[in-house]
Amino acid sequence: QIYLVESGGGVVQPGGSLRLSCAASGFTFTSCGMYWVRQAPGKGLEWVAYIRKDGHAQYYADSVKGRFTISRDNSKNTVYLQMNDLGIEDTALYFCAKDVPDVVAFDYWGQGTLVTVSS
Amino acid sequence: EIVMTQSPATLSVSPGERVTLSCRTSQSVSNSVGWFQQRPGQAPRLLIYGASTRATGTPARFSGSGSGTEFTLTISSLQSEDFAVYYCQQYNDWPPWTFGQGTKVEMK
């Protein structure tokens, strides 16, 4: 059974930072690219960041480029999202998801962790 | 960036009805389209990938079709558990990976 379990969300003031984690199990972590996707309250899905299976390539949505950093620790089967200079517009439920390389993106998702940016 | 446009925004239907959801892309994405179901309070779940291949565990009443810029998700006979929001998504040209705005299937 594949599991993706996010953690690290919470309430933070504008300009603050948070680090999200996603612990993976039930599949060969080193064979899969990993994503972060967010969903603002009552809104649709927005891709945020992607990291290749070997960790040597990362991509970011324009809305977070320069503020967010995705990384992974293949020895811990965990992917991270470091979020700096948070704004109210970053308030959302953050999901991690995995791919099947060269087949499909986002084939399994975690349940999400909520980030609230508020003064 | 490839823009995904779903229609309609909301569909009001009764259990047992046949449902057709549409997704259009701003440029050709071949067959690199996935469909996701999101029930209230839950994470999205992959239903269809490659435009027409059912993911593991997807009931046979769900089918996908299309290629290029026009795609369709069909539910042959709507069940109560199918009331949800459905998103299409392209993975042919990235980054960014883009989603449609969603179609809400609600009870009539």
Side-chain angles (χ1 to χ4, degrees), chain A residues 41-103:
Chain A
K43 301 298 185 182
L45 301 171
E46 179 190 18
W47 164 74
V48 172
Y50 168 79
I51 187 165
R52 204 169 65 186
K53 58 185 178 180
D54 57 12
H56 291 162
Q58 303 89 29
Y59 302 96
Y60 300 93
D62 287 345
S63 57
V64 306
K65 201 173 293 182
R67 301 187 298 122
F68 289 14
T69 302
I70 189 171
S71 61
R72 64 191 294 162
D73 186 337
N74 284 348
S75 69
K76 295 182 178 179
N77 284 8
T78 301
V79 62
Y80 304 97
L81 186 68
Q82 177 67 44
M83 305 185 297
N84 297 331
D85 191 22
L86 285 161
I88 292 174
E89 68 278 8
D90 297 313
T91 293
L93 186 60
Y94 284 74
F95 299 100
C96 71
K98 62 174 283 298
D99 72 6
V100 179
D102 300 321
V103 176

Side-chain angles (χ1 to χ4, degrees), chain A residues 35 37 39 43-47 49-50 59-62 93 95 103-112, chain B residues 1 34 36 38 41-46 48-50 56 87 89-91 94-101:
Chain A
Y35 305 84
V37 177
Q39 186 170 37
K43 301 298 185 182
L45 301 171
E46 179 190 18
W47 164 74
Y50 168 79
Y59 302 96
Y60 300 93
D62 287 345
L93 186 60
F95 299 100
V103 176
V104 61
F106 313 108
D107 71 321
Y108 280 92
W109 300 61
Q111 288 302 304
Chain B
E1 171 176 332
F36 299 83
Q38 188 176 31
Q42 295 188 15
R45 166 196 169 197
L46 177 68
I48 300 284
Y49 66 94
T56 303
Y87 295 94
Q89 182 266 327
Q90 70 81 23
Y91 51 96
W94 50 264
W97 288 262
T98 47
F99 292 87
Q101 78 278 22

